[in-house]
């Protein structure tokens, strides 16, 4: 819906003039996907801790790595399309 505060470092570090010029759609989408991946990873790790299932830690760590990788790749793609 692209409403509310955008939790994205590009937006946070931009000046007020730059913020007015920015297309916020990709930044909202990136933040939503990263938060969704982190939600799943913490859920998996939480289930692993609650039920003492040690093998579930690996999928949780993999999802965290995917979230970090997605954040870096999508940031470079957004910046490449803006320039």
């Amino acid at each position: 819906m692209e409403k509310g505060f955008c939790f994205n470092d590009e937006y946070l570090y931009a000046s007020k003039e730059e913020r007015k010029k920015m297309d916020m759609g990709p930044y909202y989408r990136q933040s939503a996907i990263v938060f969704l991946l982190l939600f799943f990873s913490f859920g998996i790790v939480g289930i692993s801790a609650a039920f003492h299932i040690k093998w579930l830690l690996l999928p949780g760590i993999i999802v965290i790595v995917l979230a970090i990788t997605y954040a870096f790749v999508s940031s470079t793609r957004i910046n490449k399309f803006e320039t």
Side-chain angles (χ1 to χ4, degrees), residues 11-65:
Y11 179 77
L12 294 174
Y13 294 128
S15 66
K16 289 188 179 191
E17 295 83 26
E18 291 173 344
R19 288 181 184 180
K20 291 178 183 177
K21 296 177 187 175
M22 293 172 81
D23 177 25
M24 296 304 297
Y27 297 108
Y28 277 111
R29 193 173 310 112
Q30 178 194 28
S31 298
I33 291 172
V34 169
F35 281 125
L36 182 68
L37 288 172
L38 291 175
F39 167 77
F40 283 128
S41 67
F42 290 136
I44 292 169
V45 171
I47 291 170
S48 169
F51 296 109
H52 303 289
I53 305 171
K54 292 188 186 278
W55 64 268
L56 271 180
L57 284 175
L58 183 62
I61 293 170
I62 290 172
V63 175
I64 291 173
V65 170

